[in-house]
Every structure is written in structure tokens, then in C-alpha cells.
Amino acid sequence: MTPGSPTEQRRSFGGATLRRAGLLVAGAVFVLWAVATLTFFAIRLIPGDPAQAILGGPGSQASQEALDQVRSDYGLDQPLIVQYFAMLGRLLTGDLGVSYALKLPVADLLAAQLGGTLLLSALSLVLAWVLALGLAIWSTGRGRIASAVGEGIEITTAALPHFWLAAVLIAVFSVALDWLPPVATGTPAGFVLPVVTLAIPLAGFLAQVMRDSLLDAMQQPFVVSARARGESAVGLRVRHTIRHASLPAISLSGWALGWLLSGAVVVETIFAMPGLGRTLLQAVTLRDIPVVTGVVLLVALVYVLMTVLTDLAARIADPRLRQESGR
Amino acid sequence: GCQAAAPEASGEPVSGGTLSYASGDAEPTCLDPHVGGNYPQALLAGQFLESLVSRDDSGEIIPWLAESWTAADDGLTWEFTLRDDVAFTDGTPLDAEAVKVNVEHLKDPATQSSTGYLALGKVDRVDVVSDQVARFVMSSPDSALLESLSQPWLAIESPAGLARGMDENCQAPIGTGPFVVDEWVKQDRVSLVRNDDYTSPPADAAHEGPAYLDAIDWRFVPDAASRYAALQGGQVDVIDNPQPDTIAAAKSNDALTWLDAPRPGAANRIELNSGQAPFDDERVREAFIRAVEVDDGIDSLFFGTAERSYSPLSSVEAVAYSDDALFEHDLDRANALLDEAGWTERDADGYRVKDGVRLTLRFPVSTNQSIPAEQSLFEQVQATAGEAGFDVVIELLDLSSWYGALAAHEYEIVSAPYTKVGPDVLRILYHSDSITPAPSGYFANLAQLDDPEVDSLLTDAASTSDADSRAELYERAQQLILGGYYLLPLYDQQNSFLLSTSVQGARAMPTVSTPTFYDAWLAD
Amino acid sequence: MSDLELQQATAVSAAAHAPARRRGRMPRTGTLVAGAFVLFLLAATVAPELVATQDPNAISPVDAFQSPSPAHWFGTDESGRDIYSRVVAGTATSLLIGISATAIGLALGLVLGVLASFGGRIVDFGVNRLVEVLFAFPGLLLALLVIVVYGPGPVTATVAVGLSTAPGYARIIRGQLVAIRSSQYVEAARVLGRSPARILSRHVLPNALIPIFVLATLGIGQAIVWAAALSYLGLGAQPPAAEWGAMLAAGRTYLATAWWMTVFPGLMIVGTTIATTVLGRALTRRGRGER
Amino acid sequence: MTNTPAPALEVAQLRVGFGGTDVVHGIDLTIMPGECVAIVGESGSGKSVTARALLGMAGADSRTSAEHLRIDGLDLGAASEREWRRERGRRAGLILQDALGSLDPLRTVGREIEDPLRIHLRLPASERRARVLRLLADVGMPDPVSAVRRRSGELSGGLRQRALIAAAIALDPPLLIADEPTTALDVTVQARILALLDEIRERGTGVLLISHDLAVVSRMADRILVMREGRIIEQGSTGEVLEAPREDYTRSLIAAVPAEVPRGVRLSATPMRPATQSGALPTISSPLRPSHDPAIRTTPLLELSHLTKTFAVPGGRFTAVDDVSLSLHRGETLGLVGESGSGKTTVARLALALTTPDSGSVRFDGEEWSALDERQRRPTRHRIGAIYQDPLGSFDPRWNVGRLLADAVRGAREAGTSDVSAGPTAPVVAVLLDQVGLAASVADRKPMTLSGGQRQRVAIARALAGSPELLICDEPVSALDVTIQAQILDLLDDIQRERGLALLFISHDLGVVHHMADHVAVMRAGRIVESGDAGRVFTQPGHPYTAQLVADSPRLAT
Ligand SMILES: Nc1ncnc2c1ncn2[C@@H]1O[C@H](COP(=O)(O)OP(=O)(O)OP(=O)(O)O)[C@@H](O)[C@H]1O
Ligand SMILES: Nc1ncnc2c1ncn2[C@@H]1O[C@H](COP(=O)(O)OP(=O)(O)OP(=O)(O)O)[C@@H](O)[C@H]1O
Ligand SMILES: [Mg+2]
Ligand SMILES: [Mg+2]
Ligand code: NI
């Protein structure tokens, strides 16, 4: 069947955008609600008394009166379902509660941590993209050896644990060469190693995806056509194949960001960077339920936004999507 | 580098500069050490809060915020005379009323103090005698009161600061120290700046007046390798909790200095839970201790930086009593004892069995409290005990789960550090009262040692003000504790700092061995 | 646990593009080497005592931190244990974690995927939302929760990794099944009057199997890497179990002084990932009738 | 022949090989300016390879050699890739075989056409844009201004082909190579594209037209070269080759063109089907074509009445099938023609009850069919067979031919309608394969490894396994080249005679439908615009659209 045959243009597209936007928002709200609910109940599986967590955390020697006091202060003596709706109510008003351990509003706490983690993830994503593109472009269409080498690099880097990679990078670039600080300083130099640590395995993965689609794109008739017009090898890549190769990788970037956020736990610990990953780890250890809930909601929100963004990016990069959205 | 002493100061002190400190201890959840009260809080609080008294290198109590003190003969009242030239950094003066407010703050359940609260267990109240004189009224005599008061967890804070409420006070407590909390960026750093009006160094300080350093940049760097790399690269000037292998490397590195400051209180040790089978049988306890071989392991894992201990107390404590004969490795004796105790059969895996039950020892290990080298040592304990037929099951747990396992008595052996100034720590750890759990399930007597004789020795020691008889009581108690094979001492609580040689004049406080940078300066 | 998500995505792309991969891209020698490596792993799993040279848990503190030598091919660790023997001994645990975690993730993913693609519009919608929610839920938190609730250890690590991979698998499998279900050959089977059960069992599942198999081969290595990350956080396999990830995490402490403590377990992880990937692709090619 | 201009193309002894084997074995070819030379030949004969080799891009791992290769007088026999790159697009334009995929779907048409201008000329951007607009106008693109901003996905096949031609002639090259420029296009569009190429040729460009369709080239070419297995086996002026072909092969090519070959006359010169082995043939005994007399018509076997089918699209519903009524009797063939997207496949799917109509009904053998439950339909399913446009897609990729057919046979047995109700399936499979002219050994092969013609035969065999009474064929030959197409058409014809099958035959190729169908329905935009007796519809079309279709249908110009 010929897509785009004249008959298809009988369709009207009016109102579609509005409907799409509505669906997106509804989907996002649903995901956030479900994540909040899931977290609320899952966290209650964790052994340990929230009141103890509030009163100085593990090993606390709080008295019974203090415990009772805290329980009634925080509404922990209410039935679970009441607590649940109380939480939903607070969330609706944008109130994430107060950290058990730090006694600070969770929103303030997370606001301070979000930026760093997002910057770290975003930079890593960009670097991963650049590395992956470079590797994929370098190693495809150059014969078996280059492609075997490229493939080897991809599989290997994709299999590197962050903590190990970080250690090696520090040993080489901080200790042996003394080029970059091993502890993030907030300066651009301090960001280099953490970003590289996160980016390398991701790049290996993205390159795998890109290589496949690059190879596919290079077999396409439009590439041969372009050559027949006198297009150079570089021109072919720049103007044709790269964009095609990027499409699947773009749609994976939403996942990639979630992956980076998980990876950030390890990387933030090693490079001593403030961030959501460390906050989450600490909050789980301290059974700091409001903070855990807050981080999870925030990550879910970022994920939802990222899905929308990648969707948008894919639509920009691939006009066909705009066309065939109804199929 | 040199060992166990303040680094030799060379040259004239210079003022200025920011010292960068990388801490591997957990980031506190509250900077006020009254709240809770753990070592990470003490590390930081030592820079901006001060206590009534301090301790010198020989273990003698020396004046600090209190310039003198007297105890009534019956030990039921203590009068502290405060220095009259000291003000908190918020400008309010240090007076007897402030001391009273601080003690009340510590004793108030709402403060959620645990270390300070326990230490003030026998203090009934504080009366204001005059502006400069505060009287502690005791419910019973406490020979450890001065030692307790020297600890950072009982530091004196500005009443005005405390009045702000816990949330605000936790962010930046106000004290009289040489530095002031400027800003706390969570997960990242605490910025401390010099208190230019500082007047109250402890009696053993090297100089008077304000500190030399302009500021301290206190960073939280949980990863040991990153910390050491940052020190090597000059990104930070001081790190704590270095890996033993890096200490060994630093010893041969002219650019680095090792500051070894074992913590006071209890030594690091493995407690044997005598409250339940199989360690309710002394023969099995002895068999375990005889079977386990740790000396070579301590040597190789700690690269010669840790000394084997044979005492329940830290070597810092003058009254620490050692008896290495009790801990000689003797596999034959271990086997004989186990046979005698009825653990005669062995199963397919080579572990001993009695009445169909395997000789299993659950060993919960807190990943937050044991460094990798110590965890490796525990693996060696596991391997050597296995030769005698013990099935040691190591469980690596996060802190909350670890406390949970202890509270549920789901352990046969455990290692738990305990830091406190003075030998009174023995009472906390081995008095049968400490078996009774707090509502959270927490209890300090993890060996579950329940011996009336030990109890009475420790109670007497705590109320005896005569130093000699007190020392004798503690020695007898330690003999009983060691002789009953309730614990396997390993080494002092390792507390090392690596400093860049440009840091001069830094030392560890002889109280709980936290570093102090009051006398420190940065040479170039 | 988004590593796994990524790995799954790779698998999709690998599966999707497998036919496009030109013959000879992956040299046959590569397949042979990978096969030999997997055989070694199998031997180490089934009969570690035959492959190992020493008792993996025998400590000898005086022999600690020895570099590789004829006596200790991969050197010794901080307790003087033979790293080669520990690597061999750890094969079973690591592979078990890798394989079972992948199996758990795949099984859950398959159930969700089948539900979504065959349960009608409403079920599909519900399952899709569920998967989306699980995706938005940070994978590491899921793992932490499982571990905190049920205690650390290889079993919980396996379950944790498996659980956090399930949504990724579900999404991919659903896509796969939907594609197959709407394929012409399934339509042809309907035209021939075949019952839905028969179509599912004869056409849909068998055809979904190959891409799922590719997913699995990639998943194994990645699951081991994730379990290693849990070990770094101290929540993975418990000592003295010789598990590669735990060895890697332990050896990291001594990276500057004893490189061999991390390099060899690391090589095993990477080698396993590469070998399973290479084999998976080779098998896919065969399944599709290519050489 | 005075003042001879340089030939647009002059090549001698062109050889191309891949790996160890040669695919093109020494071709000589000269094209003068303004001349159109056509290469015809069956699939795989080396036409496309030749075309690409003429631009120095035969492909990876290829070896190309020629005694000389001159384009517009310039010798490029030993040119390096750099030199080639300078000349491609300037001296010769190439229109690739795969018209639909030859425009980058992510880039606008304007940019694609601009490329050669940008690569080879230094022009200001505004000038380039102006030239692109002029080119688009030249190739007859409606509304060039909006067309430049569109991407290939937004254009119909015909418009895409125009854009490609525009890109190929952007620099006015003396030589234009067009590889199958009209396959996959509707007849109407095809006619327009051929006219456009004619225009270009008249402007003095040498055109090399490649096709497997003699009917197409007969309209265009001055000379024809017949290619087979990498060699030119016959050449001459168009008239000579078509009227007096010297080679058998050429003759079979000409005979295979179905247009205007009356119903029942074999198209393929050599019957593909070996002598029928009689035996356990699962046949329905039936006379030859039943009477065509309306008087003795009984209930139709398939009856579609007032079918309407809409699809949800963003912002509304799209009507794919609009009030379609058709009926088909036993032993008859109903042809359904129409341009791409007119709704033919949707009608077929409705007839197969693979989708349910929004309104209207399908009756099979007088019984309600589309309104039934799938479970109720299942026992009757085997009475209807289907052949799909893309046979490969309709085979489970894991199954070999034997298993595919055995499964179909077993299905028919379960339904209780097979003549052979027990025993091993292998002999039955062998018979089925034999019926469609395939060797028994094919049973062990996977469909992937079969040629297009073989696959289509397997599809037919599978459709026949259930002894159907109705066979629905959706574009069964559009993917095949003429000679194979001829064999398949003959085969379908034979089987229909043998079994009295009713055929619903869908195609966009009027020639094919004319040859096959008794009755014809013409579809356009979801509606039947005209229907009736095949002979009548094709000779005296009653609807202008039909008339246009018929006029555009290529036929051998003799
Ligand atoms: N890149 C290549 N590598 C190997 N063999 C090739 C390659 N390209 C073409 N061939 C082979 O060369 C022969 C001629 O192919 P070509 O594409 O020229 O056929 P064609 O005449 O254009 O057929 P069609 O009518 O189907 O387009 C075929 O056997 C084909 O398999
Ligand atoms: N599932 C569907 N959803 C939306 N639109 C559809 C769907 N199926 C078909 N269409 C549209 O219905 C129209 C008719 O499609 P159909 O496949 O029946 O055409 P056709 O005549 O078979 O064309 P071709 O010759 O290209 O095969 C087309 O415009 C197509 O885009
Ligand atoms: Mg061709
Ligand atoms: Mg169709
Ligand atoms: Ni008729």
C-alpha cells in the first residue's frame, strides 16, 4: 500500500493535538497517583517503626511516651486508609511532608538535590549520545575489522559496572595524571569524571542500537540515490544516515534517563556529589518515608516529562510520526 | 608520618586559608549533638561547640568552659565555676543559667537525645548558684560525671539558639567554639567560618585567641577511595576513615601525615551472645574464642596499622586490663571443649551438630559501621571458626536492619562499636540492666552478660570517687568479663586521619578523639 | 534498575535488526570462542572442583595480596584466597543470579505481555498503565525495597533484579506479541480456521521465542552487573560466597595496590556478557535461516 | 550522420562481479543524445547492476571492468571514487528501481532536489530554491511551492517518482538512467511518468530505460536490448524486437504480457506444470466453466451487499469502503480493480470476515457470514481460501513448506471435508506441490529461501489444501515479473477449470484482470464506480475513470 496516496489526504487532523495533550496530562496524573500509592503501601512492608525513624532513627532509645507523642503528632496511629488519603490530600496541595530524619520540608530538601542530579544525568545523556554517534559512525561501513572492534567496544562498555569504572577513572585521571578532581566540586572540572562514568556504559548501549539502524539506513535506496547525485561519504552520513540511526536511540532516551537516575546513586556516592540518588539511598536506610515518597514521585515526574520530551523529539526528527499518528 | 600523637608543628603558625576536610562518616541528620548523639555529630560539633571540661593526653580532666569545680563529699552535688569571659557566637553570655538550660534540654524527651541523655542519667537537676556557678544535683553519686561532661554530646549551646526549636537548631547550633556554622548544604558540605571573638580554648591548647584558619570546608565523601584520591591530589587537606592500605602507603609518603587517634571507651570486639544457645554454655564460648585466629589477618588487612587488643577497653583508657593468655589460638582445645559440650557430631559440610541442630552462629554485620578490612577480618573469623565446626553466617545489613536483628536477638555474635570517655562504658555494655531493651528494642549489653558480681563491681566503681579503688574495681570487672569468654577483643576502635603535610598543628581531642583545627594552620 | 531496561532495548534492536545483520559481521571464530567460554562457565558451574586449583574459601592471611603467579593464576585477595579458584567457585552463584533474575523478569514480562496482547483492549490498557507505572518507579528503589524487606543475599538480589527488569521485558514482549498477532501469517491461520489457542501455541509463542531468547542472553550479563552494583552497596551476595560482583566490589577498595582483585572478576562479567550476546546473535541468525 | 555529437553513453565489455561470480558478462551499449534505449529481461538478469555500474557504484565487494566507459565523451573507465563523485549527477542522473524508498523520508523534497545543485554548483541559496521550483514545475508537480516543503511520506508514489526525476535531471545531465521507473505505480500514474520521460528524451537527453515489462518499453524505446543471465541475448529497434523476435526467450517475454490476451489462452510458453499424476488428488469434481447465462444463476457463492467500513483516524473517521455491493458465482472470476488505496484489500478482508463491516452484510453460499461469531465461522473457514499480495508474510517464518501444507491439510481433515480423511499427510503434500508445479523436494525448504514465484505457488497450494470453493486473491502477481506472473495466472486458470472454483481476483493491473476475469468491478476511493462483464467494461467503459484506466494501460505497441 502506498502511504500518502492522495486519498489519504481526505483526513482531517483538527482537534487531534488537543486530544493528544489531554491524554498525555491524564496519563501523567495517573502514573503519579499510582506511583504515590504504590510507594505508600510498599514502604509499609519495610520492617521498622516510622515513629522510631522520626525519633533519631536506628538504635534510638526514645521512651514510650515520646513514641506515643510522635505517633499521634504524625497521625501514625490512624488506620492505614486514613493515612493514605491524608497523604493524597497533602500531595494534592503540593505538600510532600517533612523529612523524618532531617526535620526539613521534603520539597525544600529535594529542590536542592534535583538540580545537580538532573544536570549530571542530562550531561551524561548528551555525552553518551556524542560517544555513541562517534563510535557507531566510525565503526560502521568500514569492513569487518572495524565493525568487530566497534561491536566489541560496545558490548564491553555496556557491561561495565559504574562503581568499577569510576574507580578506574579516578585512579587514572585523578591519581596518576592529576588532571581532574576525584571529588565533585561544583566546578565544571568536578563534573567531568561523574559524567564520563555514567555516559560510557550508556554510550556502549546506545551505540549498539545506533549501529543497527545505521547499517539499515545505509542499505536504503535513498542513500544510493544520494550517492548517485554525487554525495560524499561524509555528506551521506551528515545529511541522511545519522538522522535515521538516531531515531531508535531518541525513543530510548526516556529509558536512558531513568537508568541514569539509578546509576546516579552509585556515582553520587563515589564522587561525593549531592543529589537525588544519595538522598534516596540514605532515606531508605533511615526509613525516612516522606523523603522516599518524594524522591520516587520526583523521579516518576521526570520520567513522565522525559517520555513527553522524547516523544516530541522523535516527532521533530521523524516527520512520519506526525503523519501516521493515527495508525 | 608519626603515630598516635599530634603532628609535630614546624615553623611559625600563619593565619588564613580554608581547610578542606573530607569526612567518610555518615552525614549527620542534625548538627546539634544533643539530638541523638553519634560520632559523626561529634566530629563536626567539636569545631563549633565546647564542653564544660576536657581531658588531656594522660587522661586527666582539665578545665574548659568551667575553670574549676568541686564535688561534695557524698558525691551528690557538684559545683562548676564558669569562665566569665566567654560568650556564645550569638552574643549571649555563657552563664550558669545556660548550663541549666542545656542539661534540661538534654534530659527533655522531646530533644530525642540518647548519648547525652544516658550520660546524665544520675543528674537530677542543675541549680543556678550565681551567674558563674552552676550546681549539679545528683540522684546518686557518679564517678564518671566529669568524663561524661567532657564529651561533645554534652557540649554547651546558646539557650537562645536552643529556643529556636529543634528544626532550626539542627541546621546551625550556636556554641562558643573557634568556628561557627555558616551553611549546611545537604549531601554536600558544612561551611564553618572562624569565630573572631573566640576566647575559650581548653587548657591544653597550643595558643589563645581566635583560630588561625579562616574557614573549614567540611565535605561528606562517603567513598574511601575517592577520599584518598582527593587528598593525594591536594583537593582536600584532611580525610578521616582512610583505608588501612592507604594509611600504609601514606606512611611512606612525605606529603602526607597520619594522625592515629584510637577512640576511647570500648575496644572493637566481637560479643558472644550468652543469653541463648549455644553460647549460654561457657565451654562453647571458649571453644569459639580458641578456634578463631585473627592475628595474621589483622596484620595483613590493616597493614600493620592496628594493634591486636586483649582488653574490653580501648588502650586510651588508663584502667584497661589485658590478658592475652585467654585468647591464644588453640584448635585442639576448641575441639575438645566442643566435644565436651556435647557438640560431637559433624554434618556433611563439616559443621558440628547436636540433637540435629547445627552449630550455627548468626553474625549480623552493619555495612555502615564496619570498614571493608574489618568485614574481610570477619570472613577470616568465619573461616577459622569453621575449622572447629562452627557455621558462621555473616549477614551484611544496613543500619536499620542491623538494629532490627539485634533487637530480635537474631544473632550469636556481633561487633558493635561504643565510644565513651572513661571506663564507665563497661557499665553500659556489661551491666545486666543494659539487657533490658528500650522501646525500640535497643540494648547495649549485646553479650547479654548477666553476672551479679560484675553488676556490683561496675555499680560500685561508678560511685567511687577514689581513683585507685575505682581502677581496682574496674580491673576485677574486666577480669570477670574476659574470663567468662563473653567477647573477643580485636583492636582499638580505629580512628585515623590522613593530613596533607601542609596542615600543621592539628590534633585529636583526648576526649573522644575527634580532630580539632583550633591550633591548625596551613603552611605552604 | 534501568540498566536492564537498556539492555532489553538493546535486545529489541538486536532482535529487530537481526535479519538485517549481514552474514559474517560476527566472525564465526567469534562464535566458537564464545562457545568455548560458555563451556568453561558450564564446567565451572557443574564441577567447580575440577576446574579450580584450590579451595576457594581457604584463607591464608600471610599470602594476602599476591600478584598473579603460577601458583595463583589470578593472584590472591585480601585474605590470601586464590582468586582464580574463587572466580571459578563464583561462576555458579553469578550465573544463577544472572539466569534466574532474567528468568524471573522474563516470566513476569511474558505473563504481562501475553495478558496485554491477548486480553482485549481493557486488559491491554490496564497492563500498559501498570508497566508504565513500574517504569516510572525507580528500579533501584524496587531492588532496595525487596532487599530491605527480605534481607540481603543472593536470593533477594536475584528477585530484586528480576522484579525490576520485568516491566521492560513486559513492554518488549507485548510489542513483539502484538506484532506477531497482527502479522499476516497469524491472519492466514485464522483464515484457515485455526482456534485462538492453537494460533497462540503454534505460531505466536514460538515466533516470539527467538527475540525473547536474545533478550535473555543479553539480560544475563546485565543482571550480573546489577547484582554487582547491589554488592557495592553491601546488599548483594553474603560472604564468603564467591560471587563476581561481590568480588569486584571488594577488590575495588584495593584497586591502587592490587589490580588483579578486580580485573579478573570484571573480565568474567564482561566475558560472560559478550559470550552470551555473541551466542545469542549466532543462534538468532540460525533461527532465521541465515548462516 | 554528419556532425555526430558525442554519444551520451558508450560502454564496451562491461563486466561486473560480486565476490567470485560474475553477474554481468560483457555488455556493449551506446546511447546517442535524444535516444531512448531500453533493457528488458527477467528478474535477476542483471539490469539494475548494469545501471549502477554505469555510475561506478555497482555495490560493496563488487568488481567492475570495461574496455571503455564514456559518458558524454568523458572516459570514466578508470575513475577513482573522487572523480566519480564529481561526475555523478552532473553527467548522468540515476533513478533507482525502488522509487518509493529513494527519497529520504526525513528530509523535504526541496532539499533532496537541491542536493545536486548544492554539491556540484556554487549558487546562492535563493537561486537554488528558484531552480528547484522550476524543476518541479518541469516534471509536472502540481503546486511546486508547497511540494518543496513536503516529505516523501506525504507524497503519492507518482509524485515521488516525479520528485526523483527532478533530482536526477537537476543538472541537466546528458544521460538519464531510469531503473524500473514505473513498477509499483498505478497505470494512470505510470502513463504520466512515461510521458514525462519522453519529454526529457525529446530535449536531447539520452535515456536508458530499464524494465522487465515489454509493454512499457514498447511505448518509449527506440531500441531494445533483451538481457538474460548477465548477457545481451538480442537487440534491435523496438519494432524489430517486438514483431520479429529472434530468440525464444524474447518470444516468451512478449507472450507473457497478459493485456488483451483473451480469457483462457495460456500466457506462459512452457507450461510449468508437469504432466498431471492422477491419484489421490483432493479435487472437487466439477464441470468446466459453468454456464455464464444469467438465466440459470442460482444464489451467488459470495454476496457482499452495501458494505461500508470506516477507520478511526486522528480527528474523525475515514471511509475506506463505501456502500460496496458485489456478487460472485461458483466457477466465475470477479476482478476488482482500482488505484492504490481505493479499498480493494479492505473489501477482501471484509469478505474473509477478518474485519467486520460498519454496515452491510456478507453472505457466503446463501448463509450469513460476516455477522457470525468467529467460533461459528470456523468450521466453514476451509471453504474459502486466500492468497495474499505478500506471500512471504503469510507464512510462519519458522515452518518449512511441508509443515505449512501439512498443517493446512490437517486443518481440512479436522473440518471433515478433506477427501482423504486419514493417513500420513506427506503424500497429500506432495500432490499439492505437484499440482502447483513444484518439486516434492521443496517441502523441506523454508519459504525464505524460495523465489517469489515459488512462494506464490506454495501460497496457492496452501489455499487449495482445504478444497475451497472460493479463492480470494489479493494482488497475487503484482510482486512478480511477467514470465512468472504468466505462469501463476495460467495455474490459477487451470485450477479454476479443474475444480470449478470461484475467484475474487484483486489487482491494480488492468491487463491481468482483463485476462482473468469474467466480471469486473472498478473501485475508486472506496466506491464501486463501474461493474459488469469484463469484455464490456474494458472495451466500452461506461465511467470516465474506467476509460482513463483503460487508456493508460500499457500494451505492446505493435
Ligand atoms: N550487492 C550484491 N552482491 C551480490 N550479488 C548481487 C548484488 N547486487 C545484485 N546481485 C546479484 O546480481 C544479479 C543481478 O541483479 P540485478 O539487481 O541487476 O537484477 P535485475 O535484473 O535488476 O532484477 P529485477 O528485475 O528483479 O530488478 C542477481 O543475481 C543478484 O542476486
Ligand atoms: N486499519 C486501518 N486503519 C486506518 N486506515 C486504514 C486501515 N486499513 C486501511 N486503511 C485505509 O483505507 C484505505 C483503503 O485501503 P486498502 O488497503 O483497502 O487499499 P487497496 O485498494 O488495497 O490499496 P493497494 O492497492 O495500495 O493495496 C487506504 O487509504 C488505507 O490507508
Ligand atoms: Mg532491478
Ligand atoms: Mg491492497
Ligand atoms: Ni457471470
Side-chain angles (χ1 to χ4, degrees), chain A residues 155 159 208, chain C residues 7 14 26 30-31 33-39 41-42 95 98-99 102 213-224 244 268-284:
Chain A
I155 301 179
Q208 271 174 308
Chain C
Q7 139 256 308
M26 192 70 83
T31 314
V33 172
F37 188 76
V38 168
L39 279 184
L41 293 182
L42 287 182
L95 283 191
I99 293 173
T102 311
F213 183 79
V214 175
L215 273 184
T217 55
L218 280 163
I220 291 171
Q222 289 296 328
I224 295 175
W244 297 338
M268 292 305 281
I269 295 180
V270 172
T272 305
T273 314
I274 295 180
T276 49
T277 311
V278 169
L279 280 191
R281 288 192 170 166
L283 285 170
T284 318

Side-chain angles (χ1 to χ4, degrees), chain A residues 163-185:
Chain A
F163 65 88
W164 187 76
L165 186 60
V168 172
L169 289 177
I170 289 180
V172 174
F173 292 102
S174 298
V175 178
L177 298 173
D178 197 14
W179 287 352
L180 294 163
V183 168
T185 44

Side-chain angles (χ1 to χ4, degrees), chain D residues 356-377:
Chain D
T356 44
D358 294 351
S359 66
S361 73
V362 180
R363 298 180 79 78
F364 178 68
D365 202 8
E367 311 267 330
E368 182 52 56
W369 175 245
S370 61
L372 292 180
D373 203 49
E374 180 61 32
R375 204 177 321 219
Q376 296 166 306
R377 246 189 319 254

Side-chain angles (χ1 to χ4, degrees), chain A residues 1-2 8 11 327, chain D residues 311 318 320 340-346 475:
Chain A
M1 176 184 322
T2 328
E8 270 176 72
R11 290 168 185 166
R327 292 291 170 90
Chain D
F311 293 107
F318 169 74
S340 183
S342 55
K344 306 181 295 292
T345 297
T346 310
E475 310 265 14

Side-chain angles (χ1 to χ4, degrees), chain B residues 460-473:
Chain B
D460 290 352
S463 50
T464 304
S465 47
D466 176 63
D468 289 342
S469 50
R470 192 172 172 232
E472 201 183 303
L473 289 167

Side-chain angles (χ1 to χ4, degrees), chain B residues 223 243 245 296-297 300-301 303 367 372 376 379-380 382-384 394-397, chain C residues 57 59 61-62 64-65 78-79 81 148 152 232 234 238-240 252-254 257:
Chain B
D223 191 87
Q243 294 284 351
D245 61 326
D296 288 342
S300 66
L301 289 168
F303 295 83
T367 48
S376 297
E379 281 185 50
Q380 298 187 7
Q382 179 181 47
T384 49
I394 294 177
E395 296 164 321
L396 298 179
L397 299 172
Chain C
N57 291 332
I59 61 154
V62 286
F65 301 116
E78 77 279 8
S79 292
R81 297 174 293 202
V148 165
Y232 168 76
Q238 299 293 291
R252 202 192 75 87
T253 313
Y254 304 101
T257 40

